[in-house]
Amino acid sequence: MTGIRLKKTLLSAALFLAVFLPPVFARDVEIVVVDTDLELALEGALIHSWDGKEYACNGEGKARISVPDDRQAVIRVSYPGYENGRLVIPPAGDSFTVSLRLSGMMENRELVIEAEKPGESETKSGRSVAISDDALKRTAEIGIIEDVMTSIKLLPGVGFAGMFNAMPSIRGGDPGDLTAVLDGFYIENPYHWGGGTSIFDPKMVSSARLSHGVFSARYGHTISGLLEVNSRKPSPTETEFDLGLSSSAASINLSIPLFEKGGVMFMGKVTYWDPFVWAAKNFVEEVRYIEIPPFIRDAALSSHYRFSPDMELSLNGFFGSDGIGVFYNNPYEAGNIRGKADMRFYFDNLQGFLISALIWNPTESMVFKASAGAGFLKTALDGYMQTNVNIKYTDQFLKDHDTDFDDPSNIKNDLLINGSDSYTIDIGMNYDFTETTVNYQGAAGLDWDLGRGFILALGLQELYTRWVKDQTAATPYIIPYPPGSPAAGLIDYVDAFYSVENQSLNSSAYALLEYTSPGRFFGAELGFRADHLYFMGKDFSIQTLPAFNPRLNLDFTPLKNRGILDSLGLTLGTGLFSSIRDQISNLESRNGIDDYELKQNRSWTSVAGVKLDFKGGYSLNIEGYYKYVFDRGYSLSVVENLEQKTIFNFDGEGRIWGFDLQLQKFESRWWDGWLSYSFTHARYREKARSDANLDSGSPGSNWYWPSFHRFHNLNLVLNIKPSGSFSIATRLGLASGVPLNETGAISSRILEMNGTIIEYYNRASFYSQTNRTTWSIPLDIKFSWFFYKPTSKVQTEIYCAVENLLSLIYTAQGNSSFNSLTGEEEKGSRTASYEMPIPMISFGCKWSY
């Protein structure tokens, strides 16, 4: 009864706050756009709103837009022949005037000239899907890990990857093919915890754009998807301060203006998972052995300064660390087995980078951009496992294997002679890995407005990378006997080691021509990009052929302002793309790869799309695509003379087609969100893979569904605002299963280890074209209460969130695991590996000034 009364009390409090607190979400304001010198209204001036919508000014130069009244909002204003500008709308006031000039500085003190960041208005059918700052806050700032990739995984064309996996498949591509760019800088490894989460905290980011179609030739180094992330830009006029405290992390942002010409922002985040790990140890077996809870320590810098109306310099940086430690020491006894397992595992990761960029307008029709940066990554993994097990021979074992040797009484005689009816297994494994990566990047590009709707863009890019890696490992290995041998195998140790000091130089050049007709009825972009790789090792070098990547996009807008339809857009695009697989960083001279044998991954992608924008802030985007992957690199591991060797191949193929759609409701007073659906058909083939080990789950050289493939992905993002001071944010997903091998019955076999006969259980595993895990249904909910006092300029948010809520009654199921020494199936092991079996609860407060 006490619990019921408590729930009623909390519910009553929530309803009271939701109903009676004053609204703080949205209000309508009037924007007037005029010529600075003549004070004439600029009819037709476009206002690019903070929520992604565009408004055209009437004959009086006026337009009414909806803005939040709990915080500042930024809009951009453009008019042909005039300088673009931005207006910062404060939380108070209902009418604002924007004065634009044909040239020079803008007189409104709150206006600055700057390049537009990708927001929802930057979503381009056939090319990309963008998320603005506010959409990021609603979808990424939920739960124990606030991550921009959480929002990206909700977009059309993105496959479900599970809660602790920031490496999704983009339109059927390999997760490793996704390339991330921060402020134009290519990130070597944009992840924490080996891919569990990304380094992009939503409080450090102003916008993100996922390009998974035929995107501009300005970017490369990917055949699947490009994630463009832009850092938050400090205000040149206002001091801003944000503080967040939650059950799992603390964050702080401080922005300081610089003489109204720029600003500098410091950002930091620290996680503390100790309470969560302590609580989860009572429910999740694996969590009980975590000695050092997972941690993240991040710091970032964002700064810019405008020297003149035509020149701006920016400097951005990032430094982060993450790690985890596991200690397992567990004696156990089950049936005829007594033993003890001892395992230690430590992972540490450090990374950082510094980026500087210059934007210069030498003339009114030219924009020159140059950037340079350097980054590093240092990873260390140290672990070992020691297992000591004593197993008593069972009568059934003696009976089953009495005839496995030439002398049927051989095993029994050994037992009698040795005076023992049991055997002992003592297996040890150690693993030591270190990696240090350094990269330097430089780029320069020129955009030239040729007039009459034409823009010419040219650019050069250089990317130098150096890897130093050392790995030593000794692992137990079961070497199969030739068919017909009396024993099934022998346990011995395999050495897997390498030490590399490799370097690569990626050189790129691009040229493109854009055209937009009057009224934007027709648009086209024809681009060409060339990427070349030169690879160097300690005692070898490899020359490669350049990859030529032409791209073409055609855009049509046949209808505008027809009834409830704002616009109808059609898109056609096709192009070539190239990238380099991460595995080539492990190349050694003993791999025997000669000049021009090393190839870049290639893909040919074609897209057709239609985009409909409706009155009232609704938008529907539908795209279909076909992608052919060729020259795809992959590696195979073989064991020869107890030494593991790696063989590199570059003949992989992939055939991918599908379609996705997104129905979106932009920011409004009562609700917003989107519904996205993706269908993906992806098949791969690796011609050099052997067909000899099909019973181990390998597809051999046949066409196969990759392990990350899902046919269907459905996401619903819904933000409900019953009152101005209370909101409910929900994320609901529905994803079909990933491929699952078919397994045979668990069977007993005998092995010989150091002259001792032991019993070992295994089961065959066969690749299946039809078998899959069951569907996944993730559900996350966040409740937020907002408090704002205009006199104090401080906004407070108190929230509570629950992730993976449906795991209380359902989790996706896969194959079970079993104990190889007893043959017994392990309880609860059918839960799919990417599923979290318990809900994640978080709560916290955020203050903004």
Side-chain angles (χ1 to χ4, degrees):
M1 294 298 293
T2 302
I4 295 176
R5 287 197 298 268
L6 178 60
K7 291 180 180 178
K8 289 184 177 180
T9 302
L10 292 176
L11 179 59
S12 300
L15 292 175
F16 175 84
L17 291 173
V19 173
F20 292 103
L21 284 179
V24 295
F25 262 96
R27 73 184 194 279
D28 290 336
V29 299
E30 182 182 70
I31 305 297
V32 183
V33 183
V34 298
D35 181 287
T36 298
D37 299 318
L38 303 178
E39 297 185 353
L40 296 177
L42 298 180
E43 179 182 3
L46 282 180
I47 298 175
H48 306 268
S49 180
W50 66 285
D51 60 2
K53 296 182 63 176
E54 293 183 353
Y55 300 83
C57 294
N58 59 21
E60 298 178 345
K62 298 179 179 180
R64 293 194 68 82
I65 68 173
S66 179
V67 297
D69 58 5
D70 60 334
R71 58 188 178 278
Q72 293 180 342
V74 180
I75 63 172
R76 186 175 70 88
V77 183
S78 63
Y79 191 76
Y82 286 74
E83 294 178 328
N84 293 343
R86 289 198 171 194
L87 172 65
V88 179
I89 301 177
D94 55 12
S95 181
F96 302 90
T97 299
V98 180
S99 301
L100 301 183
R101 277 185 174 180
L102 288 172
S103 62
M105 285 290 288
M106 300 185 186
E107 293 195 344
N108 191 322
R109 64 180 294 272
E110 294 179 316
L111 287 172
V112 295
I113 306 171
E114 60 182 32
E116 182 182 7
K117 302 301 184 185
E120 286 165 85
S121 62
E122 288 274 314
T123 295
K124 296 183 178 179
S125 182
R127 297 174 179 80
S128 60
V129 182
I131 305 181
S132 66
D133 178 51
D134 292 281
L136 280 174
K137 289 180 179 178
R138 293 190 296 269
T139 55
E141 295 184 6
I142 296 181
I144 60 175
I145 299 180
E146 297 185 352
D147 183 7
V148 168
M149 284 304 300
T150 303
S151 298
I152 298 300
K153 291 191 289 185
L154 300 172
L155 297 177
V158 182
F160 175 72
M163 184 175 176
F164 291 103
N165 187 352
M167 301 177 66
S169 169
I170 309 298
R171 283 187 170 174
D174 188 287
D177 289 335
L178 176 64
T179 296
V181 177
L182 177 65
D183 299 324
F185 185 85
Y186 289 93
I187 309 298
E188 174 74 17
N189 179 37
Y191 304 107
H192 286 307
W193 300 336
T197 181
S198 81
I199 64 173
F200 304 124
D201 187 283
K203 300 180 187 65
M204 303 178 183
V205 172
S206 65
S207 62
R209 178 168 56 185
L210 176 66
S211 299
H212 50 28
V214 182
F215 52 86
S216 171
R218 291 181 176 89
Y219 289 104
H221 305 300
T222 179
I223 64 172
S224 178
L226 175 72
L227 177 61
E228 300 174 65
V229 179
N230 294 281
S231 300
R232 282 185 61 180
K233 202 168 186 179
S235 169
T237 58
E238 302 288 341
T239 298
E240 299 174 340
F241 178 76
D242 297 313
L243 175 64
L245 297 175
S246 73
S247 53
S248 58
S251 62
I252 184 172
N253 286 21
L254 175 62
S255 174
I256 302 173
L258 297 176
F259 314 109
E260 297 189 357
K261 292 186 177 182
V264 58
M265 178 181 291
F266 302 95
M267 297 161 281
K269 181 178 76 172
V270 175
T271 64
Y272 37 83
W273 274 39
D274 303 70
F276 165 74
V277 170
W278 175 82
K281 287 182 178 181
N282 297 318
F283 303 98
V284 183
E285 179 71 22
E286 292 79 3
V287 177
R288 299 179 183 180
Y289 308 111
I290 295 179
E291 185 178 28
I292 301 176
F295 67 86
I296 294 175
R297 310 284 187 265
D298 287 345
L301 166 72
S302 176
S303 62
H304 71 103
Y305 191 83
R306 184 175 293 276
F307 294 95
S308 71
D310 301 320
M311 183 179 293
E312 180 178 1
L313 180 68
S314 65
L315 179 67
N316 298 333
F318 173 86
F319 177 81
S321 66
D322 60 275
I324 185 175
V326 176
F327 171 66
Y328 178 92
N329 191 329
N330 185 30
Y332 57 89
E333 181 175 349
N336 62 319
I337 298 178
R338 294 181 180 179
K340 179 181 179 181
D342 185 10
M343 180 181 72
R344 293 181 183 270
F345 172 89
Y346 298 100
F347 172 80
D348 288 294
N349 183 61
L350 300 174
Q351 63 177 310
F353 47 83
L354 190 65
I355 317 161
S356 180
L358 173 70
I359 300 177
W360 175 43
N361 296 86
T363 68
E364 292 184 359
S365 60
M366 287 187 180
V367 178
F368 174 77
K369 300 179 181 179
S371 63
F376 79 94
L377 170 70
K378 186 173 183 179
T379 302
L381 179 61
D382 182 19
Y384 80 89
M385 182 183 72
Q386 188 73 31
T387 301
N388 183 277
V389 182
N390 182 266
I391 305 175
K392 183 178 180 180
Y393 289 116
T394 63
D395 294 336
Q396 186 64 41
F397 171 73
L398 298 176
K399 180 180 178 181
D400 291 343
H401 301 291
D402 222 10
T403 59
D404 285 342
F405 297 88
D406 294 335
D407 181 0
S409 63
N410 198 12
I411 295 180
K412 292 182 179 179
N413 289 337
D414 282 347
L415 294 176
L416 293 174
I417 293 174
N418 297 328
S420 173
D421 60 353
S422 64
Y423 60 93
T424 298
I425 300 176
D426 194 356
I427 298 177
M429 180 183 74
N430 63 76
Y431 186 87
D432 188 13
F433 173 79
T434 59
E435 174 185 359
T436 302
T437 302
V438 178
N439 71 80
Y440 302 95
Q441 301 179 32
L446 176 70
D447 286 15
W448 185 8
D449 187 347
L450 303 177
R452 298 181 179 273
F454 288 93
I455 295 178
L456 175 67
L458 305 169
L460 298 172
Q461 299 170 354
E462 290 287 343
L463 172 58
Y464 168 81
T465 308
R466 183 174 184 267
W467 303 276
V468 178
K469 300 184 180 183
D470 291 286
Q471 172 183 293
T472 58
T475 59
Y477 178 71
I478 301 174
I479 303 176
Y481 273 66
S485 297
L490 169 71
I491 292 182
D492 212 323
Y493 288 90
V494 174
D495 291 326
F497 66 90
Y498 61 83
S499 178
V500 298
E501 294 183 16
N502 292 332
Q503 305 170 74
S504 71
L505 182 63
N506 285 275
S507 303
S508 305
Y510 68 84
L512 61 89
L513 183 66
E514 298 180 16
Y515 171 72
T516 304
S517 67
R520 300 189 177 185
F521 171 78
F522 172 71
E525 179 181 321
L526 175 62
F528 181 83
R529 182 182 179 92
D531 295 289
H532 177 261
L533 169 70
Y534 182 65
F535 193 88
M536 298 159 283
K538 286 188 292 187
D539 52 358
F540 69 102
S541 63
I542 302 175
Q543 184 61 270
T544 69
L545 294 173
F548 298 103
N549 300 312
R551 300 170 194 174
L552 173 65
N553 280 291
L554 303 175
D555 301 296
F556 305 88
T557 309
L559 296 176
K560 284 187 177 181
N561 300 318
R562 297 290 182 89
I564 64 170
L565 187 66
D566 273 343
S567 65
L568 168 65
L570 305 174
T571 299
L572 294 172
T574 187
L576 290 171
F577 300 83
S578 61
S579 70
I580 301 296
R581 294 282 286 183
D582 293 337
Q583 288 93 327
I584 72 161
S585 62
N586 299 328
L587 281 176
E588 300 177 87
S589 58
R590 61 176 177 171
N591 296 127
I593 298 178
D594 296 328
D595 285 344
Y596 309 111
E597 290 183 357
L598 174 60
K599 299 179 181 179
Q600 300 187 48
N601 298 333
R602 304 299 306 279
S603 73
W604 170 47
T605 301
S606 297
V607 179
V610 56
K611 188 172 186 290
L612 299 96
D613 293 324
F614 299 94
K615 304 290 185 182
Y618 293 90
S619 178
L620 175 63
N621 189 42
I622 305 174
E623 298 180 17
Y625 60 91
Y626 174 80
K627 179 162 53 179
Y628 175 62
V629 178
F630 57 100
D631 292 345
R632 181 173 178 267
Y634 59 96
S635 60
L636 303 174
S637 295
V638 298
V639 176
E640 296 179 0
N641 298 322
L642 294 182
E643 182 178 334
Q644 181 174 301
K645 295 183 178 180
T646 302
I647 302 175
F648 292 88
N649 300 276
F650 305 95
D651 58 2
E653 292 182 275
R655 294 174 181 170
I656 307 167
W657 62 271
F659 67 91
D660 45 58
L661 61 87
Q662 183 180 33
L663 175 62
Q664 187 167 12
K665 174 67 170 74
F666 292 109
E667 172 75 15
S668 68
R669 169 62 185 83
W670 298 104
W671 70 281
D672 59 76
W674 68 78
L675 176 70
S676 66
Y677 169 75
S678 304
F679 173 83
T680 306
H681 186 283
R683 303 270 280 170
Y684 286 80
R685 180 171 68 165
E686 297 168 351
K687 301 177 183 179
R689 191 175 293 278
S690 173
D691 293 330
N693 299 315
L694 297 182
D695 62 345
S696 64
S698 169
S701 59
N702 303 306
W703 287 95
Y704 67 93
W705 306 106
S707 61
F708 48 82
H709 173 254
R710 298 178 188 270
F711 281 108
H712 309 281
N713 287 276
L714 178 71
N715 290 295
L716 173 63
V717 177
L718 185 60
N719 303 295
I720 304 171
K721 294 165 280 188
S723 77
S725 58
F726 176 64
S727 70
I728 304 173
T730 61
R731 306 182 307 207
L732 174 64
L734 183 63
S736 58
V738 295
L740 189 67
N741 286 343
E742 292 184 356
T743 57
I746 300 174
S747 60
S748 169
R749 62 193 296 193
I750 58 173
L751 303 174
E752 179 185 350
M753 184 181 73
N754 299 328
T756 300
I757 303 300
I758 69 173
E759 186 175 22
Y760 179 80
Y761 290 88
N762 73 324
R763 66 180 176 194
S765 177
F766 301 91
Y767 173 77
S768 173
Q769 297 284 359
T770 57
N771 198 32
R772 288 180 176 259
T773 60
T774 58
W775 289 64
S776 295
I777 314 176
L779 173 62
D780 309 323
I781 300 178
K782 178 184 179 182
F783 302 93
S784 297
W785 291 264
F786 299 91
F787 308 88
Y788 178 72
K789 292 183 178 180
T791 56
S792 67
K793 297 184 180 181
V794 176
Q795 174 180 302
T796 302
E797 176 188 357
I798 300 175
Y799 69 90
C800 177
V802 183
E803 298 176 279
N804 203 32
L805 181 59
L806 294 182
S807 64
L808 290 170
I809 57 175
Y810 173 81
T811 56
Q813 300 293 289
N815 289 330
S816 64
S817 58
F818 63 95
N819 190 310
S820 61
L821 297 178
T822 66
E824 296 179 355
E825 187 176 276
E826 297 177 346
K827 295 181 180 180
S829 62
R830 289 188 176 275
T831 299
S833 60
Y834 49 81
E835 289 280 14
M836 193 69 185
I838 59 173
M840 300 291 183
I841 301 175
S842 60
F843 50 88
C845 297
K846 298 176 183 178
W847 295 271
S848 299
Y849 169 81

